[in-house]
Amino acid sequence: MRHYFGNKWAIAAFALPALLLYSLVVSYPVVQSLYRSFFEWDGIGAGTFNGLSNYAELFRDPLLATSLRNGGIFALVLVVFQIGLGTILALVCADIKIKGRKVLKVGYFIPVVLSVTVVCQLWIAIYDPTNGLVNRLFELVGIPYRQNWLTSPAVSIIAIAFVNAWQFMGYQFSLLYAGIKSIPEQYVEAAIIDGCTKWGAHRRITIPLMAETFKFCLIVAITGGIGAFVQMLIMTSGGPGTTNFTLTYMIYRYAFSEFEYGYACAVSVFLVAISLLATVIINRLFRQERMTY
Amino acid sequence: MRNQRFTVFASTAAALLILSACSSGGGNANNANNAATAPDNAATAPEPTESATNDDGASAPATKEPVKLRIYAAYFDDDTKKPYDYAVAELKKEMPNVELVLDPSMQDDGQKLRTYAASGNMPDIFQADYKTMKAFAASKNIELLDDAAPTAQFKSDLNPGNEPVMITPDGHVYSYPFAGIEFQILYYNKKIFADAGVEAPIKTYDQWKDAIQKFKAKGIVPLAIFSKEKWIGNSFFKGLLTREEPQGYAALTGKELPDAFELAAKQFNDLKDAGLFDPNATNTNYDQASSMFYTGKAAMLVNGQWEIYSADKNLGADVDWMYWPAKDEATYEASKFNMDGSGEPGGFSVSPTSKNKETAIEVAAFLARKYAEFKYTQLGNPIVSVKIDKPVVAKPPAMMQRLIDETLPNVKSFAKLNENVKINTALDDNTQNLIVKGFSDADFDKNMNRVLASENK
């Protein structure tokens, strides 16, 4: 193996196809988006260079504030439900004393493999203000809190984010579960022998040792929240009005409804920048000496 | 040696991988696929004839050579398939040397067509709406038809008042239209109205609010609206607006919302507060809304006049339509023929890069006439772009007959287009918002004034 790693031609031969493919489908569109963001362009012709006008316009656009706020709320809901709840469930499933763990593990992952469209349609029915399960349940237990879940500006973004959180919690759960299983059991056992409770041991040993896993999960959840789109498109078409717009929805509207591709490219670049910034911040927060065991 | 052999093997494998990825075929494969998908729709006519003119005033091409034209047109349901098949059958008689290869259009807001334009793969003939027309005119992807052979005759054959569906606001012709100016009306279930003790037609807002309470008391949704699609909320608003401002959105030329708009927004908001809409209205699609109306769960439905056929099929004698109510009976009577609809250019257009451009132009004009002819003769629908001198084969539904006898001869005005994309988008958003509780007419006014101040500098 070392023999091959020493051969630069072999490295190049193996890496080149993947690099070329990556450059073609990822790097080139990103660079093109950046380039086109400096143009007034309708997606067909050559466009007219307009410098930073698109960016200046973006920061004056009232949709930006709505989109950033919704992206933030979406990300927060994902973090709380997917990582918070996912961690608890992963710890439960990692406990060999819990019966039916395999059923639980499979059950948590089933929504992940379902089609997003199917899940959204299911939740549209659940959220129906007249006949939906949620309002019916409230009615059944005598709680007068009935909502128009998908049309109320105050709660619709949370309701939509919850659908994403519910569907992909199993994905985060599997990452967290793998993270827990990679920690040697002796650490927790030793702590329990020394008098620590099981949850205390998890709090002081398991969770701190999962920092790398949490870092990855946080990046996935937060960048996923900032760039959320599909659920809004299917469940509310971004409405009512622009209530449920996110940055990706802005891109969709400006590119495909208003044919302002140059401006949409500027929003895309901004989205990439925000996602990179979030990734850098998370990396900094979790910057520590890598633990090996 | 082993190292060298390995390197050669790896390099060869990489090269093969790249080459195989590049060899999947481009345009030819697509063309073959397009042709393969439309064998049933191709008007194949290998035998050339000497046809030079036809009975519709359009002159046929002089060439006898077989011509194959790719057409991008809607072909997904009875409304789109039947007129296409009819027109193609007629084309076969008139221009047997022309073969059409159908590329069925997607319901994708013009994206596929734009991709064709961006990649230089435009079909010879395509159906274009005004938005696409404007973008393609700027990028020279649409043929200017001002001086094309069939244009003058087509213009002179337009039904009175239908110029806006053919001539753009800047005076050019980019397409041959087949639809006339369509408009929105209020459908109502006569049986539900009678059971609730509501007199039809509703003429004023006070009567409307009173009716809402009666329907709600009976557990009936007063009005079904598929407001997940923004345009219908926008049309509802325009229905209220055109009682006071017949021009519609064309009146939005200043920096502030005119009084008629503020009044319409207030009326909209009052009707919402009274309970006109279902709580889930902005999340209701057409199938759900029409189902509510046709199963007797809703007393009224708002949609275009094209819904007449479906309404007649589903409710028969129990359904009728009414004009838009106004602030009082005098205004109602004075404004009921101010139609809630604005014609905008659209129809069959031609690509300037077509190899058989002249033939494509003739065929586009011919197809538009035949589409209109189908609607008129086979459906009894008089709302078509051009005059048809053939007899109506099908008896139109009673509601359509009423429209023909009572409304069309008396139309006073159609609303006019506002060309500003931002203003139209803002109207779409804010009229949908008006359906939601918590969003008031004051919010509507504020948002629209902001957009107007920014756009009408």
Side-chain angles (χ1 to χ4, degrees):
Chain A
M1 204 61 190
R2 188 173 295 169
H3 179 71
Y4 291 126
F5 279 129
N7 183 342
K8 286 178 182 167
W9 284 106
I11 294 170
F14 276 108
L16 218 60
L19 274 176
L20 281 174
L21 202 64
Y22 184 82
S23 302
L24 199 70
V25 298
V26 177
S27 304
Y28 179 72
V30 169
V31 173
Q32 265 289 328
S33 294
L34 179 64
Y35 174 69
R36 291 289 180 182
S37 71
F38 301 115
F39 285 79
E40 188 184 336
W41 181 49
D42 64 2
I44 303 172
T48 312
F49 182 78
N50 66 358
L52 293 171
S53 295
N54 287 334
Y55 291 95
E57 180 67 26
L58 174 61
F59 290 107
R60 286 195 298 267
D61 192 334
L63 273 182
L64 181 65
T66 308
S67 301
L68 285 174
R69 185 185 67 92
N70 285 339
I73 293 172
F74 208 103
L76 186 67
V77 172
L78 295 194
V79 169
V80 170
F81 282 95
Q82 292 187 341
I83 301 181
L85 196 63
T87 304
I88 294 168
L89 295 174
L91 288 170
V92 169
C93 286
D95 189 339
I96 51 169
K97 287 178 186 165
I98 302 289
K99 287 181 181 173
R101 290 182 302 136
K102 280 188 181 172
V103 176
L104 290 176
K105 279 190 282 182
V106 173
Y108 296 147
F109 203 77
I110 282 176
V112 180
V113 298
L114 294 177
S115 146
V116 177
T117 311
V118 170
V119 168
C120 287
Q121 292 299 339
L122 172 77
W123 279 91
I124 285 172
I126 290 173
Y127 284 140
D128 187 281
T130 315
N131 302 309
L133 185 67
V134 182
N135 278 352
R136 288 278 175 167
L137 274 177
F138 282 144
E139 196 180 328
L140 204 68
V141 295
I143 299 172
Y145 186 76
R146 289 173 66 106
Q147 288 288 320
N148 295 333
W149 295 99
L150 294 176
T151 57
S152 162
V155 297
S156 56
I157 186 66
I158 298 170
I160 295 169
F162 182 77
V163 174
N164 184 304
W166 176 83
Q167 182 174 14
F168 295 106
M169 196 270 286
Y171 175 70
Q172 299 276 30
F173 162 83
S174 62
L175 292 172
L176 293 161
Y177 180 78
I180 292 167
K181 296 305 275 185
S182 67
I183 299 168
E185 288 172 8
Q186 297 92 308
Y187 292 178
V188 174
E189 283 168 10
I192 290 170
I193 289 167
D194 287 345
C196 192
T197 63
K198 192 184 287 178
W199 288 107
H202 283 322
R203 192 161 58 85
R204 291 184 176 86
I205 297 167
T206 314
I207 290 174
L209 286 177
M210 286 170 64
E212 285 292 315
T213 310
F214 279 125
K215 185 171 85 177
F216 180 72
C217 288
L218 262 180
I219 290 171
V220 170
I222 290 177
T223 55
I226 294 168
F229 171 68
V230 185
Q231 285 80 13
M232 284 80 167
L233 179 73
I234 297 172
M235 298 182 78
T236 64
S237 303
T242 54
T243 310
N244 290 315
F245 266 48
T246 55
L247 285 172
T248 318
Y249 214 106
M250 273 180 82
I251 297 167
Y252 174 74
R253 166 187 274 198
Y254 286 118
F256 303 121
S257 292
E258 300 190 8
F259 301 135
E260 293 182 17
Y261 279 74
Y263 186 64
C265 285
V267 185
S268 309
V269 171
F270 184 72
L271 172 63
V272 171
I274 289 274
S275 298
L276 283 175
L277 183 69
T279 308
V280 169
I281 291 171
I282 293 166
N283 273 317
R284 289 209 165 213
L285 285 174
F286 281 80
R287 192 166 54 187
Q288 60 181 43
E289 198 178 326
R290 187 182 289 272
M291 291 189 204
T292 49
Y293 33 82
Chain B
M1 189 62 191
R2 257 179 78 188
N3 191 18
Q4 275 183 339
R5 270 163 51 194
F6 172 78
T7 307
V8 169
F9 168 74
S11 306
T12 311
L16 280 173
L17 185 70
I18 293 166
L19 286 172
S20 66
C22 295
S23 66
S24 59
N28 289 342
N30 281 342
N31 290 341
N33 189 36
N34 288 335
T37 54
D40 296 341
N41 310 312
T44 314
E47 298 300 324
T49 69
E50 296 192 11
S51 163
T53 55
N54 60 45
D55 58 358
D56 296 298
S59 57
T63 177
K64 293 176 185 175
E65 295 295 315
V67 176
K68 190 184 266 191
L69 299 173
R70 185 156 69 100
I71 176 168
Y72 185 77
Y75 193 82
F76 52 84
D77 60 6
D78 276 358
D79 284 347
T80 51
K81 283 181 176 177
K82 284 183 176 175
Y84 179 82
D85 291 340
Y86 177 86
V88 165
E90 292 292 314
L91 182 72
K92 211 171 179 177
K93 293 178 207 162
E94 288 293 323
M95 302 183 200
N97 62 317
V98 176
E99 178 186 350
L100 289 185
V101 179
L102 175 65
D103 181 357
S105 70
M106 315 290 284
Q107 289 177 281
D108 62 353
D109 216 3
Q111 290 313 305
K112 189 176 174 184
L113 196 58
R114 295 176 75 85
T115 310
Y116 281 153
S119 57
N121 184 29
M122 283 295 286
D124 299 286
I125 301 169
F126 53 94
Q127 261 179 287
D129 58 13
Y130 185 44
K131 201 159 63 168
T132 305
M133 217 178 274
K134 279 205 292 188
F136 281 15
S139 59
K140 301 199 180 343
N141 277 292
I142 191 166
E143 180 69 11
L144 184 64
L145 301 170
D146 290 357
D147 302 318
T151 301
Q153 186 64 47
F154 208 102
K155 270 186 188 174
S156 70
D157 288 346
L158 283 173
N159 274 318
N162 273 251
E163 289 74 17
V165 298
M166 184 171 180
I167 302 163
T168 57
D170 59 358
H172 293 300
V173 175
Y174 292 102
S175 70
Y176 297 113
F178 48 87
I181 302 179
E182 303 188 296
F183 45 87
Q184 281 69 49
I185 46 182
L186 291 167
Y187 296 87
Y188 68 96
N189 186 318
K190 289 195 266 189
K191 192 168 177 300
I192 293 178
F193 266 56
D195 290 348
V198 176
E199 194 180 329
I202 296 170
K203 294 181 177 177
T204 67
Y205 289 105
D206 289 337
Q207 290 171 11
W208 210 351
K209 283 187 206 167
D210 184 47
I212 290 168
Q213 299 316 316
K214 288 178 178 167
F215 293 132
K216 283 179 73 182
K218 285 190 157 281
I220 303 270
V221 174
L223 179 89
I225 184 169
F226 45 99
S227 211
K228 194 166 187 177
E229 296 178 32
K230 289 180 179 174
W231 74 267
I232 192 69
N234 188 327
S235 287
F236 184 87
F237 178 82
K238 207 155 51 181
L240 309 182
L241 172 70
T242 43
R243 298 319 91 205
E244 305 286 332
E245 174 50 85
Q247 277 201 79
Y249 297 154
L252 287 175
T253 51
K255 290 182 180 174
E256 284 196 3
L257 217 49
D259 291 345
F261 284 73
E262 291 186 1
L263 177 65
K266 186 173 184 323
Q267 289 166 338
F268 198 135
N269 196 51
D270 288 349
L271 291 168
K272 169 189 67 188
D273 287 345
L276 179 66
F277 307 110
D278 181 68
N280 207 27
T282 57
N283 218 27
T284 301
N285 60 31
Y286 168 76
D287 289 340
Q288 293 164 323
S290 59
S291 167
M292 280 166 73
F293 182 60
Y294 295 140
T295 55
K297 289 177 186 156
M300 290 174 276
L301 172 75
V302 56
N303 203 357
Q305 94 292 325
W306 56 83
E307 185 72 22
I308 282 177
Y309 299 96
S310 188
D312 182 69
K313 191 174 156 191
N314 282 284
L315 291 174
D318 281 341
V319 63
D320 204 351
W321 59 267
M322 57 189 177
Y323 299 102
W324 289 88
K327 63 186 176 195
D328 51 46
E329 286 209 32
T331 311
Y332 170 82
E333 290 300 337
S335 66
K336 69 180 180 182
F337 295 119
N338 296 349
M339 306 315 287
D340 174 19
S342 49
E344 62 179 65
F348 286 111
S349 299
V350 172
S351 166
T353 56
S354 171
K355 286 178 186 164
N356 300 291
K357 198 160 68 181
E358 296 309 313
T359 311
I361 291 170
E362 297 287 351
V363 172
F366 182 86
L367 290 177
R369 285 177 183 278
K370 292 300 165 185
Y371 265 58
E373 187 177 291
F374 175 84
K375 282 169 171 257
Y376 182 77
T377 60
Q378 308 297 312
L379 302 176
N381 181 355
I383 302 166
V384 291
S385 58
V386 286
K387 297 176 198 121
I388 308 293
D389 56 5
K390 291 189 176 175
V392 176
V393 175
K395 187 173 181 282
M399 283 190 291
M400 182 57 84
Q401 194 59 53
R402 191 183 144 213
L403 208 65
I404 294 166
D405 298 336
E406 176 187 312
T407 312
L408 296 181
N410 297 307
V411 168
K412 280 169 72 176
S413 64
F414 287 100
K416 291 189 176 62
L417 267 186
N418 186 310
E419 287 218 67
N420 187 299
V421 176
K422 298 273 181 205
I423 291 175
N424 285 322
T425 307
L427 282 163
D428 271 346
D429 289 338
N430 286 289
T431 49
Q432 190 188 40
N433 272 329
L434 269 175
I435 295 173
V436 179
K437 282 200 171 168
F439 187 92
S440 68
D441 52 311
D443 294 325
F444 177 90
D445 298 348
K446 190 179 78 180
N447 291 350
M448 285 310 303
N449 280 330
R450 193 189 64 234
V451 175
L452 291 174
S454 153
E455 293 300 310
N456 293 337
K457 284 174 186 166

